[in-house]
Amino acid sequence: WEGRVDLGYAKGNLYGESNAAAIRDKTTHSQRLRAAFTIARRIVSFEGSRLQIEAGPTFDYWDTETLSERGSVGGRVGLSLLMPLGGMILENNVGFGISGNPFSENDIPAGARMRTFTTFSVGAGLRLPL
């Protein structure tokens, strides 16, 4: 078992769609700060490497220019493959997350509906054991 706190930062643009049109606003920037508590459990080990499943709650703080600053709670699940690399560990992961919408009703045009916010992530990183 492994428990950890993950911190993240993402920056992007706004995107919206309806049955008739899709709009990508490249002039308004949005940034997300994420804190997550993750529990991981090894599924299989082989030749010093291990594959593990991960899950846990997330808290996102959104700051969008000209719109609201807002927090949302959610969760994520994923898989990680950890492989020794010299004195470090190479981590490759894939994950799926779901959380509340980062906007309030006042942020969107009349008649529009908000959807649950979903994320799909793929990443790689180096761990330095202490």
Coordinates of all heavy atoms in Angstrom, one line a residue, residues 22-96:
A22 N -19.6 24.6 -31.6 CA -18.6 24.5 -30.6 C -17.8 25.8 -30.6 O -17.5 26.3 -31.7 CB -17.7 23.3 -30.9
I23 N -17.4 26.2 -29.4 CA -16.7 27.5 -29.3 C -15.4 27.2 -28.4 O -15.5 26.7 -27.4 CB -17.5 28.6 -28.6 CG1 -18.7 28.9 -29.5 CG2 -16.7 29.8 -28.4 CD1 -19.8 29.8 -28.8
R24 N -14.3 27.7 -28.9 CA -13.1 27.6 -28.1 C -12.6 29.1 -28.0 O -12.2 29.7 -29.0 CB -12.0 26.8 -28.8 CG -10.8 26.7 -28.0 CD -9.7 25.8 -28.6 NE -8.7 25.6 -27.7 CZ -8.1 24.4 -27.4 NH1 -8.5 23.4 -28.1 NH2 -7.2 24.3 -26.6
D25 N -12.6 29.5 -26.7 CA -12.2 30.9 -26.4 C -10.7 30.9 -26.1 O -10.3 30.5 -25.0 CB -13.0 31.4 -25.3 CG -12.6 32.8 -24.9 OD1 -11.7 33.4 -25.4 OD2 -13.3 33.4 -24.0
K26 N -9.9 31.5 -27.0 CA -8.4 31.5 -26.8 C -8.0 32.8 -26.1 O -6.8 33.0 -25.9 CB -7.7 31.3 -28.1 CG -7.9 29.9 -28.7 CD -7.1 29.7 -30.0 CE -7.3 28.3 -30.5 NZ -6.5 28.1 -31.7
T27 N -8.9 33.7 -25.8 CA -8.5 34.9 -25.2 C -8.7 34.9 -23.6 O -8.1 35.7 -22.9 CB -9.4 36.1 -25.7 OG1 -10.8 35.9 -25.4 CG2 -9.2 36.2 -27.2
T28 N -9.5 34.0 -23.1 CA -9.8 33.9 -21.7 C -9.0 32.7 -21.2 O -9.2 31.6 -21.6 CB -11.3 33.7 -21.4 OG1 -12.0 34.8 -21.9 CG2 -11.5 33.7 -19.9
H29 N -8.1 32.9 -20.2 CA -7.3 31.8 -19.7 C -7.8 31.4 -18.3 O -8.4 32.1 -17.6 CB -5.8 32.3 -19.5 CG -5.2 32.7 -20.8 ND1 -4.8 31.9 -21.8 CD2 -5.0 34.0 -21.3 CE1 -4.4 32.5 -22.8 NE2 -4.4 33.8 -22.5
S30 N -7.6 30.1 -18.1 CA -8.1 29.5 -16.9 C -6.9 28.7 -16.3 O -6.1 28.1 -17.0 CB -9.3 28.5 -17.2 OG -9.7 27.9 -16.0
Q31 N -6.9 28.7 -15.0 CA -5.8 27.9 -14.3 C -6.5 27.1 -13.2 O -7.4 27.5 -12.5 CB -4.7 28.7 -13.8 CG -5.0 29.8 -13.0 CD -3.7 30.6 -12.7 OE1 -2.6 30.2 -12.8 NE2 -3.9 31.9 -12.4
R32 N -5.9 25.9 -13.0 CA -6.4 25.0 -11.9 C -5.3 24.6 -11.0 O -4.2 24.2 -11.5 CB -7.0 23.7 -12.6 CG -7.6 22.8 -11.5 CD -7.8 21.4 -12.1 NE -6.6 20.7 -12.3 CZ -6.4 19.6 -13.0 NH1 -7.5 19.0 -13.5 NH2 -5.3 19.0 -13.1
L33 N -5.5 24.7 -9.7 CA -4.7 24.1 -8.7 C -5.4 22.9 -8.1 O -6.5 23.0 -7.8 CB -4.4 25.2 -7.6 CG -3.7 26.5 -8.1 CD1 -3.7 27.5 -6.9 CD2 -2.4 26.2 -8.7
R34 N -4.7 21.8 -8.0 CA -5.3 20.6 -7.5 C -4.5 20.0 -6.3 O -3.3 20.0 -6.3 CB -5.4 19.5 -8.6 CG -5.7 18.1 -8.0 CD -6.0 17.1 -9.1 NE -7.4 17.4 -9.6 CZ -7.9 16.7 -10.6 NH1 -7.2 15.7 -11.1 NH2 -9.2 16.9 -10.9
A35 N -5.2 19.6 -5.3 CA -4.7 18.8 -4.2 C -5.5 17.5 -4.1 O -6.7 17.5 -4.3 CB -4.8 19.6 -2.9
A36 N -4.8 16.4 -4.0 CA -5.4 15.1 -4.0 C -4.7 14.2 -3.0 O -3.5 14.3 -2.8 CB -5.4 14.5 -5.4
F37 N -5.5 13.4 -2.3 CA -5.0 12.4 -1.4 C -5.2 11.1 -2.2 O -6.3 10.7 -2.6 CB -5.7 12.3 -0.1 CG -5.2 11.3 0.8 CD1 -3.9 11.4 1.4 CD2 -5.9 10.1 1.0 CE1 -3.4 10.4 2.2 CE2 -5.4 9.1 1.9 CZ -4.2 9.2 2.4
T38 N -4.1 10.4 -2.4 CA -4.1 9.1 -3.2 C -3.7 7.9 -2.4 O -2.7 8.0 -1.7 CB -3.2 9.3 -4.4 OG1 -3.6 10.4 -5.2 CG2 -3.3 8.1 -5.3
I39 N -4.5 6.9 -2.5 CA -4.1 5.6 -2.0 C -3.8 4.7 -3.2 O -4.6 4.6 -4.1 CB -5.3 5.0 -1.2 CG1 -5.7 5.8 0.0 CG2 -5.0 3.5 -0.8 CD1 -4.6 5.8 1.1
A40 N -2.7 4.0 -3.1 CA -2.3 3.1 -4.2 C -2.0 1.7 -3.7 O -1.6 1.5 -2.6 CB -1.0 3.6 -4.9
R41 N -2.4 0.7 -4.5 CA -2.2 -0.7 -4.1 C -1.5 -1.4 -5.3 O -2.0 -1.3 -6.4 CB -3.6 -1.3 -3.8 CG -3.5 -2.8 -3.5 CD -3.0 -3.1 -2.2 NE -3.2 -4.5 -1.9 CZ -2.3 -5.3 -1.3 NH1 -1.2 -4.7 -0.8 NH2 -2.6 -6.5 -1.1
R42 N -0.4 -2.1 -4.9 CA 0.3 -2.9 -6.0 C -0.6 -4.0 -6.5 O -1.2 -4.7 -5.7 CB 1.6 -3.5 -5.4 CG 2.4 -4.2 -6.4 CD 3.7 -4.8 -5.9 NE 3.4 -5.7 -4.8 CZ 4.0 -5.5 -3.5 NH1 4.9 -4.6 -3.3 NH2 3.8 -6.4 -2.6
I43 N -0.7 -4.2 -7.8 CA -1.4 -5.2 -8.4 C -0.5 -6.4 -8.8 O -0.8 -7.5 -8.5 CB -2.1 -4.8 -9.8 CG1 -3.1 -3.7 -9.5 CG2 -2.8 -5.9 -10.5 CD1 -3.6 -3.0 -10.7
V44 N 0.7 -6.0 -9.3 CA 1.7 -7.1 -9.7 C 3.1 -6.5 -9.7 O 3.3 -5.3 -9.9 CB 1.3 -7.7 -11.1 CG1 1.5 -6.6 -12.2 CG2 2.2 -8.9 -11.4
S45 N 4.1 -7.3 -9.4 CA 5.5 -6.9 -9.4 C 6.2 -7.8 -10.3 O 5.9 -9.0 -10.4 CB 6.1 -7.0 -8.0 OG 5.5 -6.1 -7.1
F46 N 7.2 -7.2 -11.0 CA 8.1 -8.1 -11.9 C 9.4 -7.4 -12.1 O 9.4 -6.2 -12.4 CB 7.4 -8.3 -13.3 CG 6.8 -7.1 -13.9 CD1 7.6 -6.4 -14.9 CD2 5.6 -6.6 -13.6 CE1 7.1 -5.3 -15.5 CE2 5.1 -5.5 -14.2 CZ 5.8 -4.8 -15.1
E47 N 10.5 -8.1 -11.9 CA 11.9 -7.6 -12.2 C 12.1 -6.2 -11.6 O 12.7 -5.3 -12.2 CB 12.2 -7.6 -13.6 CG 12.2 -9.0 -14.3 CD 12.5 -8.9 -15.7 OE1 13.0 -7.9 -16.2 OE2 12.3 -10.0 -16.4
G48 N 11.7 -6.0 -10.3 CA 11.9 -4.7 -9.7 C 10.9 -3.6 -10.0 O 10.8 -2.6 -9.4
S49 N 10.0 -3.9 -11.0 CA 9.0 -2.9 -11.4 C 7.7 -3.3 -10.7 O 7.5 -4.5 -10.3 CB 8.8 -2.9 -12.9 OG 10.0 -2.5 -13.5
R50 N 6.7 -2.4 -10.7 CA 5.4 -2.7 -10.1 C 4.3 -1.9 -10.9 O 4.5 -0.8 -11.3 CB 5.3 -2.5 -8.7 CG 5.4 -1.1 -8.2 CD 5.4 -1.0 -6.6 NE 5.3 0.3 -6.1 CZ 6.3 1.1 -5.8 NH1 7.5 0.7 -6.0 NH2 6.0 2.3 -5.4
L51 N 3.2 -2.6 -11.0 CA 2.0 -2.0 -11.6 C 1.0 -1.8 -10.4 O 0.8 -2.7 -9.6 CB 1.4 -2.9 -12.6 CG 0.1 -2.3 -13.3 CD1 0.4 -1.1 -14.1 CD2 -0.6 -3.4 -14.2
Q52 N 0.5 -0.6 -10.2 CA -0.4 -0.3 -9.1 C -1.7 0.4 -9.6 O -1.7 1.1 -10.5 CB 0.3 0.4 -8.0 CG 0.8 1.8 -8.3 CD 1.7 2.3 -7.2 OE1 2.3 1.6 -6.4 NE2 1.8 3.6 -7.1
I53 N -2.7 0.2 -8.8 CA -4.0 0.9 -9.0 C -4.1 2.0 -8.0 O -3.6 1.8 -6.9 CB -5.2 0.0 -9.0 CG1 -6.5 0.7 -9.4 CG2 -5.4 -0.7 -7.6 CD1 -7.6 -0.2 -9.7
E54 N -4.6 3.2 -8.4 CA -4.6 4.4 -7.5 C -6.0 5.0 -7.5 O -6.7 4.9 -8.5 CB -3.7 5.4 -8.0 CG -2.3 4.9 -8.1 CD -1.3 6.0 -8.7 OE1 -1.8 7.0 -9.3 OE2 -0.1 5.8 -8.6
A55 N -6.4 5.5 -6.4 CA -7.7 6.2 -6.3 C -7.7 7.2 -5.1 O -6.9 7.0 -4.2 CB -8.8 5.2 -6.1
G56 N -8.5 8.2 -5.2 CA -8.6 9.1 -4.1 C -9.4 10.4 -4.4 O -9.8 10.6 -5.6
P57 N -9.8 11.1 -3.4 CA -10.5 12.4 -3.6 C -9.6 13.5 -4.1 O -8.4 13.5 -3.8 CB -11.0 12.7 -2.2 CG -10.0 12.1 -1.3 CD -9.5 10.9 -2.0
T58 N -10.2 14.5 -4.7 CA -9.5 15.6 -5.2 C -10.2 16.9 -4.8 O -11.4 16.9 -4.6 CB -9.4 15.6 -6.8 OG1 -10.7 15.7 -7.3 CG2 -8.6 14.4 -7.3
F59 N -9.4 18.0 -4.7 CA -10.0 19.3 -4.5 C -9.3 20.2 -5.5 O -8.1 20.3 -5.5 CB -9.8 19.9 -3.1 CG -10.3 21.3 -3.0 CD1 -11.7 21.5 -2.8 CD2 -9.5 22.3 -3.0 CE1 -12.2 22.8 -2.8 CE2 -10.0 23.6 -2.9 CZ -11.3 23.9 -2.8
D60 N -10.1 20.9 -6.4 CA -9.6 21.8 -7.4 C -10.0 23.2 -7.1 O -11.2 23.5 -6.7 CB -10.2 21.4 -8.8 CG -9.7 20.1 -9.2 OD1 -8.6 19.7 -8.9 OD2 -10.5 19.4 -10.0
Y61 N -9.1 24.1 -7.2 CA -9.4 25.6 -7.1 C -9.2 26.1 -8.5 O -8.1 26.1 -9.1 CB -8.4 26.2 -6.1 CG -8.6 27.7 -6.1 CD1 -9.7 28.3 -5.5 CD2 -7.6 28.5 -6.7 CE1 -9.8 29.7 -5.5 CE2 -7.8 29.9 -6.8 CZ -8.9 30.5 -6.2 OH -9.0 31.8 -6.2
W62 N -10.2 26.7 -9.0 CA -10.2 27.3 -10.4 C -10.2 28.8 -10.3 O -10.9 29.4 -9.6 CB -11.5 26.9 -11.1 CG -11.5 25.4 -11.4 CD1 -12.0 24.4 -10.6 CD2 -11.1 24.8 -12.6 NE1 -11.9 23.2 -11.2 CE2 -11.3 23.4 -12.4 CE3 -10.4 25.2 -13.7 CZ2 -11.0 22.4 -13.4 CZ3 -10.1 24.3 -14.7 CH2 -10.4 22.9 -14.5
D63 N -9.3 29.4 -11.2 CA -9.3 30.8 -11.3 C -9.3 31.1 -12.8 O -8.4 30.8 -13.6 CB -8.0 31.4 -10.7 CG -7.9 32.9 -10.8 OD1 -8.9 33.5 -11.1 OD2 -6.9 33.4 -10.4
T64 N -10.5 31.7 -13.2 CA -10.7 32.0 -14.6 C -10.9 33.5 -14.8 O -11.7 34.1 -14.1 CB -11.9 31.3 -15.1 OG1 -11.8 29.9 -14.9 CG2 -12.1 31.5 -16.6
E65 N -10.1 34.1 -15.7 CA -10.1 35.5 -16.0 C -11.6 35.9 -16.3 O -12.3 35.3 -17.0 CB -9.3 35.8 -17.2 CG -7.8 35.7 -17.0 CD -7.1 35.9 -18.3 OE1 -7.7 36.2 -19.4 OE2 -5.9 35.9 -18.3
T66 N -12.0 37.0 -15.7 CA -13.3 37.7 -15.9 C -14.5 36.8 -15.4 O -15.6 37.2 -15.4 CB -13.5 38.1 -17.4 OG1 -13.7 36.9 -18.1 CG2 -12.4 38.9 -17.9
L67 N -14.2 35.6 -15.0 CA -15.3 34.7 -14.4 C -15.0 34.5 -13.0 O -14.2 35.2 -12.3 CB -15.4 33.4 -15.2 CG -15.7 33.6 -16.7 CD1 -15.7 32.2 -17.4 CD2 -17.1 34.2 -16.9
S68 N -15.6 33.5 -12.4 CA -15.5 33.3 -11.0 C -14.2 32.5 -10.6 O -13.6 31.8 -11.4 CB -16.7 32.5 -10.5 OG -16.7 31.2 -11.0
E69 N -13.8 32.7 -9.3 CA -12.9 31.8 -8.7 C -13.7 30.8 -7.9 O -14.6 31.2 -7.2 CB -12.0 32.6 -7.8 CG -11.1 33.6 -8.5 CD -10.2 34.4 -7.5 OE1 -9.9 33.9 -6.5 OE2 -9.9 35.5 -7.9
R70 N -13.4 29.5 -8.0 CA -14.3 28.5 -7.4 C -13.6 27.2 -7.1 O -12.6 26.9 -7.8 CB -15.4 28.3 -8.5 CG -16.5 27.4 -8.0 CD -17.6 27.3 -9.1 NE -18.5 26.3 -8.9 CZ -19.7 26.4 -8.4 NH1 -20.1 27.6 -8.0 NH2 -20.5 25.4 -8.2
G71 N -14.0 26.6 -6.1 CA -13.5 25.3 -5.8 C -14.5 24.2 -6.1 O -15.7 24.4 -6.2
S72 N -13.9 23.0 -6.4 CA -14.8 21.8 -6.7 C -14.2 20.6 -6.1 O -12.9 20.4 -6.1 CB -15.1 21.7 -8.2 OG -13.9 21.5 -8.9
V73 N -15.0 19.7 -5.7 CA -14.5 18.4 -5.1 C -14.8 17.3 -6.1 O -15.8 17.3 -6.8 CB -15.3 18.1 -3.8 CG1 -14.9 16.8 -3.2 CG2 -15.0 19.3 -2.8
G74 N -13.9 16.3 -6.2 CA -14.1 15.2 -7.1 C -13.3 14.0 -6.7 O -12.9 13.8 -5.5
G75 N -13.0 13.1 -7.6 CA -12.2 11.9 -7.3 C -11.5 11.5 -8.6 O -11.8 11.9 -9.7
R76 N -10.5 10.7 -8.4 CA -9.8 10.1 -9.6 C -9.4 8.7 -9.3 O -9.2 8.3 -8.2 CB -8.5 11.0 -9.9 CG -7.5 11.0 -8.8 CD -6.2 11.7 -9.3 NE -5.4 11.0 -10.3 CZ -4.6 10.0 -10.1 NH1 -4.4 9.5 -8.9 NH2 -4.0 9.4 -11.1
V77 N -9.2 8.0 -10.4 CA -8.7 6.6 -10.4 C -7.6 6.5 -11.5 O -7.7 7.2 -12.5 CB -9.8 5.5 -10.6 CG1 -10.8 5.6 -9.5 CG2 -10.5 5.7 -11.9
G78 N -6.7 5.6 -11.3 CA -5.7 5.4 -12.4 C -4.8 4.2 -12.2 O -5.0 3.5 -11.2
L79 N -3.9 4.0 -13.1 CA -2.9 3.0 -13.0 C -1.5 3.6 -13.2 O -1.4 4.6 -13.9 CB -3.1 2.0 -14.2 CG -4.3 1.1 -14.2 CD1 -4.4 0.3 -15.5 CD2 -4.2 0.1 -13.0
S80 N -0.6 3.1 -12.4 CA 0.8 3.6 -12.5 C 1.8 2.4 -12.7 O 1.6 1.3 -12.0 CB 1.3 4.3 -11.3 OG 0.7 5.6 -11.2
L81 N 2.8 2.5 -13.5 CA 3.8 1.6 -13.7 C 5.1 2.2 -13.2 O 5.5 3.3 -13.8 CB 4.0 1.2 -15.2 CG 5.1 0.2 -15.5 CD1 4.9 -1.1 -14.8 CD2 5.2 0.0 -17.0
L82 N 5.7 1.7 -12.2 CA 6.9 2.2 -11.6 C 8.1 1.3 -11.9 O 8.0 0.1 -11.6 CB 6.7 2.4 -10.1 CG 5.7 3.5 -9.7 CD1 4.4 2.9 -9.5 CD2 6.2 4.3 -8.5
M83 N 9.1 1.8 -12.5 CA 10.3 1.0 -12.9 C 11.6 1.7 -12.3 O 11.7 2.9 -12.4 CB 10.4 1.0 -14.4 CG 9.1 0.4 -15.0 SD 9.2 0.4 -16.8 CE 9.2 2.1 -17.2
P84 N 12.5 0.8 -11.7 CA 13.7 1.4 -11.3 C 14.6 2.0 -12.4 O 14.6 1.4 -13.5 CB 14.4 0.2 -10.6 CG 13.7 -1.0 -11.0 CD 12.4 -0.6 -11.6
L85 N 15.2 3.1 -12.2 CA 16.1 3.7 -13.2 C 17.2 4.4 -12.4 O 17.1 5.5 -11.9 CB 15.3 4.8 -14.0 CG 16.0 5.5 -15.1 CD1 16.3 4.5 -16.2 CD2 15.1 6.6 -15.6
G86 N 18.4 3.7 -12.4 CA 19.5 4.2 -11.6 C 19.1 4.2 -10.1 O 18.5 3.3 -9.6
G87 N 19.3 5.3 -9.5 CA 18.9 5.5 -8.1 C 17.5 6.1 -8.0 O 17.0 6.4 -6.9
M88 N 16.8 6.3 -9.1 CA 15.5 6.9 -9.1 C 14.4 5.8 -9.6 O 14.8 4.7 -9.8 CB 15.5 8.1 -10.0 CG 16.4 9.2 -9.6 SD 16.4 10.6 -10.6 CE 17.3 10.0 -12.0
I89 N 13.2 6.3 -9.6 CA 12.1 5.4 -10.1 C 11.4 6.2 -11.2 O 11.0 7.3 -11.0 CB 11.1 5.1 -8.9 CG1 11.8 4.3 -7.8 CG2 9.9 4.3 -9.5 CD1 11.0 4.2 -6.6
L90 N 11.2 5.6 -12.3 CA 10.5 6.1 -13.5 C 9.0 5.7 -13.3 O 8.7 4.6 -13.1 CB 11.0 5.6 -14.8 CG 10.2 6.0 -16.0 CD1 10.3 7.5 -16.2 CD2 10.7 5.3 -17.3
E91 N 8.1 6.7 -13.2 CA 6.7 6.5 -13.1 C 6.0 6.9 -14.3 O 6.1 8.0 -14.8 CB 6.2 7.3 -11.9 CG 4.7 7.1 -11.7 CD 4.1 7.8 -10.5 OE1 4.9 8.4 -9.7 OE2 2.9 7.8 -10.3
N92 N 5.2 6.0 -14.9 CA 4.3 6.2 -16.0 C 2.9 6.0 -15.5 O 2.6 5.0 -14.8 CB 4.6 5.3 -17.1 CG 6.0 5.4 -17.6 OD1 6.3 6.4 -18.3 ND2 6.9 4.4 -17.3
N93 N 2.0 6.9 -15.8 CA 0.6 6.8 -15.3 C -0.4 7.2 -16.3 O -0.2 8.0 -17.2 CB 0.5 7.5 -13.9 CG 0.8 8.9 -14.0 OD1 0.2 9.6 -14.9 ND2 1.6 9.4 -13.1
V94 N -1.6 6.7 -16.0 CA -2.8 7.1 -16.8 C -3.9 7.2 -15.7 O -4.0 6.4 -14.8 CB -3.1 6.1 -17.9 CG1 -3.4 4.7 -17.4 CG2 -4.3 6.5 -18.8
G95 N -4.8 8.2 -15.9 CA -5.8 8.4 -14.9 C -7.1 9.0 -15.5 O -7.1 9.6 -16.6
F96 N -8.2 8.8 -14.7 CA -9.5 9.4 -15.1 C -10.0 10.1 -13.9 O -10.0 9.5 -12.8 CB -10.5 8.3 -15.6 CG -11.8 8.8 -15.8 CD1 -12.2 9.6 -16.9 CD2 -12.8 8.6 -14.9 CE1 -13.4 10.1 -17.1 CE2 -14.1 9.1 -15.0 CZ -14.4 9.9 -16.2

